[in-house]
Structure formats: C-alpha cells, structure tokens
C-alpha cells in the first residue's frame, strides 16, 4: 500500500493545485489508452493518445469512461490510468477481442456520456441505484462498495448519527452525496468534483467529515496524516458496469465475459492486486 499512498499523495497535491471547491467547472478531462495486449496488469503499455471526444465507437474498440481520482479503482500512475476498473476493462477487452481506451471525466458526466455514445461503458466504482437504472443498464455486479466516513483523528464524530449538524464533504453526484443530502439535508453537504478535493477540504477544516467509498477512503487516509476512517459502515452497495440502454448486445457480451472472468479467478486476482488484506 505504500506505493499507492505515495500516488494518492501526488494526486492530492495535483488536486489542491487545481481550482478546488464545489464548482464542477474544473472538469477532469483527458484520456489514456490502455493496451489490451499482454497481461491485464497495471504496467500494460498505455499512451496519452486521445480518443477524439464524441467519436463514434468502432467495432474493435471499447471506450471506458471513468473518473480517475478514485484509488484503488482508478487513479493516475504517471500519465496512465490504472487500478481495479482499468484492469477489469482490459481483461474484458481481451475476452471480447477489443482494444480498450479510457476517457477521464467528471463522475457527474459519466451517465450522460454513455447515454449519448461518447463512451461505451462506465467502470468507475459505480454503484447500482434505481435512479441510475432508469437511464442506463447495469451489468452483473463485480465488486461490493461501502460508504465510509473519514474524520480528523481527534474528531468527536464516531458514526453516522453524529454527522447531523456537521458539514459533510462528498463527491458530486455519488451515492455518498445523494444519501447524505437525504439524511442530513442539502445545506449540510458540500459537493466537490473529486473525492480528493473533498479530502483536501477536510484537511483544511472546510468540512468536518467526508463520506466516500471505503477503499478510496482507506487510500486517502493512508496518504494523509491526521485522518481516520470510522469503523461503522454507512451503506453497502454493488458496483457494476453501466452501458447504454440502446446497447443490449454489449450488455450481454460484458455479462458473459464477466461471468468467465469471475469463474476463472481473474476478477478476484485483480482486486487482490490492489487491495491487500489487513
Ligand atoms: N460508488 C459511488 C457511486 O457510484 C462513488 C463512485 C465514484 O466516486 N467513482 O456513486
């Protein structure tokens, strides 16, 4: 985890140099191409060669959309997007005989991007929710996510009940955002473009807690002195791949490939590569 912690620290530094805040105007953009040749490893050769925005999908390329500030699922290693989702996408691409390229964008933009065909699929630690299911189709789940609470080490907040009346930082449009706004009121929630920006706000005292998925929470805490993840789970969720409702063929292909990758242990070995048991 040490290496990951350093990377997260670097990502946080980048995030803090960029315009932080609740505005979604500082949009993350860029793309990296993940080669499907070779093993599904984080070191697979990638380049920053862009897939032109809005370009129609060709038959042998799959464009994955993500928000690459969500370690260990997706984050930058130099100019490459790596992580559990990137590796799973590559393994799926290998099964389907397609090259996978990755588009980095705001989490908030992913559903629209897949609906309009800018990207073919979303792998972004995205939780299956009934609202999202109205707009996109989800594959079978490939991982479990937990919404966790990060606080300063000396915080009086010990669990979800203590969040009432406090300022809570979240990542815009995530389930953490939606649930916290429902449970504690929109006025108590400050939404940031990335989880890294929300953690930065916690460090500088702009918010009292951050609600975010458990694995990124652990990575952020590891990379930042003076913070801790509370033991209590706020919610438990299923991560799945989102595809356009129009593209049922891709949905079926992905589900078949996913089942094979679960069966032969590939998915578990990818998860184990990034998440070490404590
Ligand atoms: N699992 C959360 C959601 O789907 C957060 C995902 C993310 O920030 N990448 O809303």
């Amino acid at each position: 985890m040490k290496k990951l912690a350093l990377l997260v620290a670097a990502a946080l530094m980048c995030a803090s140099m960029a315009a932080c805040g609740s505005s979604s105007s500082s949009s993350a953009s860029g793309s990296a191409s993940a080669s499907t040749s070779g093993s599904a490893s984080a070191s697979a050769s990638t380049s920053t060669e862009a897939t032109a925005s809005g370009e129609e999908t060709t038959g042998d390329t799959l464009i994955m959309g993500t928000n690459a500030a969500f370690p260990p699922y997706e984050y930058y290693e130099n100019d490459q997007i790596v992580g559990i989702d990137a590796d799973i996408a590559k393994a799926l691409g290998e099964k389907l005989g397609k090259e996978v390229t990755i588009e980095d964008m705001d989490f908030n933009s992913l559903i629209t991007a897949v609906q309009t065909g800018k990207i073919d699929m979303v792998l972004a630690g995205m939780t299956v929710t009934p609202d999202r299911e109205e707009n996109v189709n989800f594959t079978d789940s490939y991982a479990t996510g937990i919404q966790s609470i990060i606080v300063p080490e000396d915080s009086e907040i010990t669990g979800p009940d203590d969040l009432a009346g406090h300022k809570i930082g979240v990542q815009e449009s995530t389930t953490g955002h939606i649930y916290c706004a429902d449970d504690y009121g929109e006025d108590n929630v400050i939404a940031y473009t990335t989880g890294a920006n929300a953690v930065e706000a916690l460090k500088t005292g702009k918010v009292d807690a951050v609600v975010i998925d458990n694995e990124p929470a652990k990575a952020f805490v590891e990379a930042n002195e003076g913070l801790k993840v509370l033991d209590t789970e706020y919610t438990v969720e299923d991560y799945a791949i989102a595809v356009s409702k129009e593209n049922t063929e891709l949905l079926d292909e992905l589900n078949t490939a996913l089942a094979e990758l679960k069966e032969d242990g590939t998915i578990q070995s990818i998860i184990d590569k990034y998440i070490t048991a404590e």
Side-chain angles (χ1 to χ4, degrees):
M1 276 309 267
K2 263 251 143 52
K3 191 171 159 209
L4 179 59
L6 286 173
L7 290 165
V8 175
L12 280 171
M13 263 165 68
C14 297
S16 61
M17 284 188 286
C20 299
S22 55
S23 152
S24 59
S25 59
S26 62
S27 91
S29 65
S31 66
S33 98
S35 164
T36 56
S37 58
S39 68
S41 87
S43 61
S45 81
T46 63
S47 78
T48 50
E49 194 184 311
T51 304
S53 301
E55 187 181 279
E56 281 302 311
T57 315
T58 62
D60 42 16
T61 304
L62 272 180
I63 307 173
M64 159 187 158
T66 199
N67 175 243
F70 197 68
Y73 288 91
E74 38 267 333
Y75 57 97
Y76 278 92
E77 201 168 72
N78 302 317
D79 61 353
Q80 290 179 32
I81 296 169
V82 298
I84 294 170
D85 286 334
D87 278 10
I88 289 177
K90 272 181 270 175
L92 288 167
E94 279 168 22
K95 279 268 174 216
L96 303 178
K98 296 183 186 201
E99 194 197 340
V100 174
T101 59
I102 304 177
E103 288 275 335
D104 185 16
M105 59 188 75
D106 288 349
F107 186 79
N108 201 11
S109 309
L110 289 166
I111 297 267
T112 308
V114 83
Q115 280 181 308
T116 55
K118 184 174 187 281
I119 56 174
D120 299 304
M121 56 182 186
V122 177
L123 279 90
M126 184 174 271
T127 305
V128 179
T129 71
D131 279 355
R132 290 175 182 160
E133 278 178 315
E134 284 181 15
N135 296 308
V136 290
N137 281 336
F138 281 102
T139 61
D140 298 328
S141 178
Y142 62 86
T144 302
I146 293 168
Q147 292 300 310
S148 286
I149 303 165
I150 310 177
V151 291
E153 257 161 13
D154 58 358
S155 174
E156 288 169 3
I157 299 169
T158 59
D161 292 346
D162 297 339
L163 288 175
H166 283 99
K167 288 275 175 246
I168 309 163
V170 294
Q171 184 183 359
E172 193 174 26
S173 300
T174 60
T175 45
H177 183 185
I178 297 159
Y179 302 149
C180 285
D182 280 354
D183 290 350
Y184 308 106
E186 193 71 66
D187 288 352
N188 290 317
V189 175
I190 304 180
Y192 295 87
T193 316
T194 65
N197 286 351
V199 171
E200 202 54 46
L202 180 63
K203 283 170 69 184
T204 53
K206 292 196 184 83
V207 295
D208 305 310
V210 167
V211 171
I212 193 164
D213 301 51
N214 192 42
E215 290 304 329
K218 287 196 296 198
F220 286 133
V221 164
E222 184 136 351
N224 290 280
E225 299 245 322
L227 301 180
K228 65 180 179 186
V229 185
L230 297 181
D231 276 342
T232 47
E233 297 169 358
Y234 183 39
T235 57
V236 179
E237 317 176 327
D238 287 326
Y239 291 167
I241 304 168
V243 297
S244 160
K245 283 210 184 273
E246 315 277 293
N247 204 347
T248 50
E249 195 184 324
L250 179 60
L251 182 73
D252 293 344
E253 283 176 357
L254 289 173
N255 271 332
T256 304
L258 207 48
E260 287 171 16
L261 293 172
K262 280 183 195 170
E263 179 76 28
D264 70 11
T266 304
I267 299 287
Q268 193 56 51
S269 69
I270 290 172
I271 291 172
D272 291 346
K273 180 175 140 194
Y274 289 95
I275 301 176
T276 39
E278 275 119 53

